[in-house]
């Protein structure tokens, strides 16, 4: 094929491309690389498969998709001028606004066409543009699959099964001369509908009601139902072919007539340029950063609270996976957040690798060893770890509480929450934020409109079942969830992108942590003790202080300052953890900026005096106390009936309950018992410490094959080129019988002696040969090689197909054929 010969197939069009263009195709459509095609023909075949074409169409923006839709209803092939006319109209109804739109379309069309060509959805020169057949089938109109343009079939398609007599009746009604050739008759009718002058004259004679019917059908859908006895306006349209029958009760407006009524436009509103994202409010960038930093601090505190809440072993895992509704409510109550927010924090901690399943027989969620490392990091680094995990996660907590396609509830941490489009949507939303000036908060509606323009076919991953929570516009829902989650996490503040988030997107985690650190409050090493048995932490506390205080006191309220309350139960908890009264007095004196109140000292001494007075061990369980009166009091208490206590000795009671439940029951009755070992020593119960085995964070579910890097693309292009050379190279015909040449695509066949002689001759002359080769697994392939050395039953050669030097056993070569010189064949 000469350089000026237009391509006849998609394979020829791809073969004429340069290596950079082929690499661009494989980068835009990475599914074509799995596995690497053998040659250009296989690449073209794979690019035309339905699944690959659908995936490529889903990644087109609105105008590129409208261009493809226009080509689907244009003649095949279509010149550039015809395509432009379908998008701009014929110009006969232009006003000033239409002229501006036409200029924008004219400017944008070359770029859209270049995108379609790059992705191998369109091929051919500008005078013969062709849409890939599969794409045409997907976008072309049919009764079962209406065209996105709202256009119906052509006159030729709609009259394909019509009787010649009926066609003649339509010609007569429209004033066209009769012809006995059905093809000529259809062509005459099509010519009438595409002639602006004659069509206008025909419609001038139409009843007003008939024009009203056309108005309802012109922008689609073009199909309508009729009765066996249609009304006069419908009958007038049907008699003149403006409505053509599809079935006994269905008629359609032919494409040529609809285009006339539309002034030649395939779309009601072409959108050649992306809609701008409007600014809803402009705020002080410093105020935005402070607000985002405050929310980032809250996010860190919430995740830390979740880890603390699950520290001794979190909720059990449902048989189907995930958290039950009851456990999610409990977690929400513990975190003091609504249930949707609790689902977000749980999923965030899971995605960051901070919580996971413990893998035990009674499987529960618990913090991972990585959570301890995370807690030791500076606050800025902890936040960037969470933010980076959120950006990359395919887990979608916004779906929690909804239903899947089978009507089953979607639970937090369940297996059905992955949506592969989520990371792309999050990054794109934040990129649109970043395009605005610092401090500018975008208008959510215009942001959603921009996202829909960029990916009009990516509204949902699949049609949702009736009543399913999976809506038809998943991409928009993901965007709205992103806005809410970004605010919760401190990515945005007061609706605008923060400086630290901008640095995270553009420069990385280190730069973001450096910007955030000065905005976060420094941890404090003190609290303020008050006479009402409370302690006020005026800011975040250092971790050792916070951990000890959380055991010694209960959190009463949170906010800018945290209020802790000391109770007999909280003090007993600290004593159970191995502290003594003197330890607690020293701790409070060391960390309080105010004197230790006397009521608090009395409380500690009183609980310590009674702590361990009762001892509980395993009998099933027993209660031991040196004071017989205390045991008599317990036996007389009605609340102890369920414990089934009996006296073994004056100072010992036995119970059929286990030690743990017995311990809790006596504490509920107001006593301060202590558990003891078989040796009589007090058992120290330290707060939590249950950890899962080392776990890796959940791997995001990729959206199709990953985008290959430049090295892989270069190797793939070389392999495809070499395979194409092997498949299309001109070979010498060595057959003695000219009537039986080597069939195209089959392996060459020669005897062992002929193979050896041909390879040796090629090594001596430095020529290239075509061989058939069968590897050790029995897989056959064709290769183009340049032999370098032949010895010991092996041939060492440069393999053009693999683009490297390889050694082949001669006994695995099925045959050799010399390549023809230029001009032969």
């Amino acid at each position: 094929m000469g350089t000026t010969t237009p391509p006849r197939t998609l394979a020829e069009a791809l073969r004429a491309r340069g290596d950079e263009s082929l690499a661009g195709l494989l980068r835009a459509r990475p599914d074509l690389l799995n596995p690497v095609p053998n040659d250009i023909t296989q690449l073209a075949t794979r690019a035309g498969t339905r699944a690959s074409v659908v995936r490529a169409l889903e990644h087109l923006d609105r105008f590129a998709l409208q261009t493809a839709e226009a080509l689907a209803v244009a003649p095949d092939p279509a010149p550039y001028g015809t395509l432009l006319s379908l998008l701009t109209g014929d110009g006969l109804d232009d006003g000033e606004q239409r002229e501006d739109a036409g200029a924008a379309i004219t400017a944008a069309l070359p770029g859209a066409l270049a995108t379609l060509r790059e992705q191998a959805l369109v091929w051919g020169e500008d005078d013969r543009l062709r849409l890939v057949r599969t794409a045409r089938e997907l976008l072309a109109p049919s009764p079962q699959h209406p065209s996105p343009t709202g256009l119906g079939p052509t006159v030729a398609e709609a009259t394909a099964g019509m009787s010649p007599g009926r066609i003649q009746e339509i010609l007569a009604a429209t004033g066209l001369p009769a012809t006995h050739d059905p093809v000529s008759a259809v062509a005459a009718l099509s010519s009438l509908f595409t002639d602006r002058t004659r069509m206008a004259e025909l419609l001038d004679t139409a009843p007003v009601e008939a024009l009203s019917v056309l108005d309802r059908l012109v922008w689609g859908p073009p199909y309508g139902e009729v009765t066996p006895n249609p009304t006069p306006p419908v009958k007038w349209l049907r008699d003149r072919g403006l409505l053509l029958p599809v079935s006994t009760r269905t008629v359609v407006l032919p494409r040529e007539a609809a285009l006339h009524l539309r002034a030649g436009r395939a779309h009601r509103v072409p959108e050649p340029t992306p809609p701008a994202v409007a600014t809803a409010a402009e705020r002080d960038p410093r105020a935005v950063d402070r607000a985002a930093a405050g929310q980032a601090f809250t996010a860190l505190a919430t995740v830390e609270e979740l880890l603390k809440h699950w520290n001794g072993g979190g909720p059990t895992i449902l048989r189907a996976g995930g958290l039950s509704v009851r456990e999610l409510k409990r977690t929400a109550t513990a975190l003091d957040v609504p249930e949707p927010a609790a689902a977000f924090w749980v999923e965030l901690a899971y995605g960051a690798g901070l919580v996971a399943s413990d893998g035990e027989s009674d499987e529960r969620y618990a913090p991972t060893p990585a959570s301890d490392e995370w807690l030791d990091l500076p606050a800025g680094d902890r936040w960037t770890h969470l933010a980076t995990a959120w950006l990359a996660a395919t887990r979608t907590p916004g779906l929690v509480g909804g239903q899947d396609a089978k009507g089953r509830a979607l639970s937090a941490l369940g297996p059905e929450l992955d949506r592969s489009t989520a990371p792309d949507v999050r990054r794109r939303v934040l990129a649109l934020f970043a395009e605005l000036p610092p401090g500018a908060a975008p208008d959510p509606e215009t942001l959603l409109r921009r996202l829909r323009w960029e990916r009009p076919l990516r509204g949902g991953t699949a049609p949702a079942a009736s009543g399913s929570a999976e809506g038809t516009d998943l991409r928009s829902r993901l965007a709205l969830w992103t806005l809410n989650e970004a605010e919760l996490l401190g990515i945005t503040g007061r609706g605008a992108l923060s400086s630290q988030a901008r640095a995270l997107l553009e420069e990385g985690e280190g730069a973001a942590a450096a910007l955030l650190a000065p905005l976060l409050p420094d941890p404090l090493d003190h609290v303020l003790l008050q006479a009402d048995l409370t302690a006020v932490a005026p800011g975040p506390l250092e971790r050792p202080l916070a951990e000890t205080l959380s055991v010694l006191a209960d959190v009463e309220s949170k906010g800018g300052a945290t209020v802790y309350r000391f109770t007999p139960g909280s003090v007993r908890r600290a004593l159970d953890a191995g502290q003594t009264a003197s330890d607690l007095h020293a701790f409070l004196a060391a960390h309080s900026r105010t004197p230790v109140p006397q009521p608090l000292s009395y409380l500690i001494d009183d609980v310590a005096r009674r702590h361990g007075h009762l001892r509980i061990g395993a009998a099933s369980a027993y209660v031991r106390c040196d004071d017989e009166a205390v045991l008599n009091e317990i036996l007389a208490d009605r609340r102890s009936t369920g414990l089934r206590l009996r006296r073994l000795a004056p100072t010992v009671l036995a119970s059929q309950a286990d030690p743990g439940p017995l311990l809790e029951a006596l504490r509920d009755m107001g006593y301060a018992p202590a558990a003891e070992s078989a040796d009589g020593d007090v058992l120290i119960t330290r707060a939590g410490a249950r950890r899962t085995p080392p776990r890796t964070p959940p791997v995001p579910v990729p959206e199709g094959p990953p985008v290959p890097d430049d090295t892989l693309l270069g190797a793939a292009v070389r392999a495809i080129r070499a395979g194409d050379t092997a498949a299309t190279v001109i070979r010498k015909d060595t057959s003695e019988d000219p009537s039986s040449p080597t069939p195209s695509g089959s392996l060459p066949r020669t005897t062992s002696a002929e193979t050896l002689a041909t390879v040796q001759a090629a090594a001596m002359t430095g020529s290239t040969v075509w061989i058939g080769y069968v590897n050790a697994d029995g897989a056959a392939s064709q290769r183009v090689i340049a032999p370098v050395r032949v010895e010991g039953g092996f041939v060492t050669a440069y393999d053009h197909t693999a683009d490297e030097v390889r050694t082949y056993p001669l006994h695995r070569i099925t045959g050799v054929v010399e390549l023809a010189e230029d001009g032969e064949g």
Side-chain angles (χ1 to χ4, degrees), residues 13-174:
L14 294 179
R15 193 169 288 120
R17 287 189 178 191
D19 288 351
E20 290 187 5
S21 180
L22 278 183
L25 167 62
L26 298 176
R27 185 181 294 107
R29 298 175 64 178
D31 58 293
L32 301 180
L33 270 178
N34 189 22
V36 176
N38 292 332
D39 52 35
I40 295 290
T41 301
Q42 190 177 91
L43 174 64
T45 301
R46 194 177 296 173
T49 58
R50 183 181 180 88
S52 183
V53 170
V54 168
R55 189 177 292 112
L57 291 175
E58 287 179 343
H59 285 79
L60 295 178
D61 61 46
R62 176 79 70 186
F63 188 62
L65 183 62
Q66 287 182 332
T67 302
E69 291 167 354
L71 274 175
V73 296
D76 187 28
Y80 184 89
T82 299
L83 173 62
L84 180 62
S85 177
L86 283 171
L87 291 168
T88 60
D90 55 22
L92 297 183
D93 66 341
D94 280 357
E96 182 176 348
Q97 185 176 2
R98 179 62 62 186
E99 289 180 1
D100 294 340
I105 293 171
T106 303
L109 182 56
L113 203 54
T115 298
L116 296 174
R117 278 193 172 118
E118 178 188 8
Q119 300 197 23
L121 294 171
V122 170
W123 57 278
E125 302 298 328
D126 280 356
D127 58 340
R128 293 179 62 83
L129 294 171
R130 290 183 181 273
L131 187 66
V132 171
R133 179 175 55 85
T134 308
R136 179 175 287 273
E137 292 173 355
L138 289 168
L139 300 176
S142 68
Q144 297 76 24
H145 183 273
S147 167
T149 61
L151 291 169
T154 63
V155 172
E157 293 167 345
T159 58
M162 188 178 293
S163 66
R166 176 67 186 121
I167 296 178
Q168 296 301 321
E169 292 176 359
I170 294 176
L171 293 180
T174 54

Side-chain angles (χ1 to χ4, degrees), residues 469-762:
E470 192 79 46
T472 57
D473 193 0
L474 177 61
R475 189 174 175 86
S476 294
R477 298 176 68 201
L478 286 170
L480 293 174
W481 290 331
T482 296
L483 296 178
N484 182 47
E485 293 168 3
E487 195 76 17
L488 284 176
L489 191 52
I491 299 284
T492 58
R494 301 181 66 186
L497 190 67
S498 65
S499 299
Q500 50 267 27
R502 196 181 298 267
L504 179 67
L505 296 173
E506 299 174 357
E507 304 176 48
E509 297 183 24
L515 286 176
L516 178 62
L519 301 175
L520 296 176
D522 294 326
L524 303 176
D525 62 353
H526 65 274
V527 294
L528 305 175
L529 295 178
Q530 303 187 105
D532 60 350
L533 297 180
T534 60
V536 177
L541 300 177
E542 293 179 348
R543 186 181 173 191
L545 172 59
E547 289 179 348
T548 303
L549 192 60
S550 65
V551 176
L552 179 57
D554 299 321
V555 175
E556 189 170 77
S557 64
K558 299 178 182 179
T562 304
V563 177
Y564 295 85
R565 177 165 294 279
F566 299 95
T567 65
S570 67
V571 174
R572 177 194 52 74
R573 187 169 63 229
L575 296 174
D576 286 342
Q579 301 282 345
T580 65
S582 58
D583 293 337
L584 299 181
H585 287 305
F587 168 79
L588 293 175
H591 293 94
S592 175
R593 288 290 178 86
T594 58
V596 179
Q598 194 176 54
L600 180 56
S601 298
Y602 286 167
L603 174 65
I604 293 173
D605 292 338
D606 182 60
V607 174
R609 177 179 54 79
R610 294 185 295 111
H611 183 262
H613 195 48
L614 291 177
R615 299 294 184 89
I616 295 177
S620 285
Y622 63 83
V623 180
R624 181 170 64 85
C625 182
D626 294 335
D627 188 347
E628 296 182 30
V630 174
L631 297 184
N632 291 334
E633 183 182 343
I634 292 174
L635 288 173
D637 196 319
R638 292 183 179 180
R639 292 175 293 176
S640 68
T641 305
L643 301 177
R644 303 178 69 180
L645 297 169
R646 63 188 180 88
R647 189 186 295 271
L648 296 181
T651 59
V652 180
L653 298 178
S655 172
Q656 296 186 16
D658 291 332
L662 177 59
L663 198 68
E664 293 300 323
L666 291 178
R667 286 172 178 169
D668 292 341
M669 293 168 62
Y671 298 96
E676 71 177 13
S677 67
D679 298 328
D681 298 326
V682 175
L683 292 175
I684 296 175
T685 56
R686 300 192 182 278
R690 185 167 182 171
R691 292 292 180 269
T692 70
R695 303 289 193 198
T696 57
V699 179
V701 177
E703 185 185 7
V707 177
D709 57 25
D710 292 340
T711 302
L712 178 57
L713 284 175
V717 170
R718 288 194 300 271
I720 294 171
R721 290 286 193 202
D724 202 53
T725 301
T728 60
V729 72
I730 302 175
R731 300 143 190 158
K732 286 185 178 180
D733 185 7
T734 59
S735 173
E736 295 181 359
D737 182 4
S739 64
S740 58
T742 301
S744 176
S746 64
L747 297 180
R749 300 287 180 180
T750 56
T751 65
S752 299
E754 291 172 335
T755 297
L756 178 59
T758 306
V759 170
Q760 287 176 332

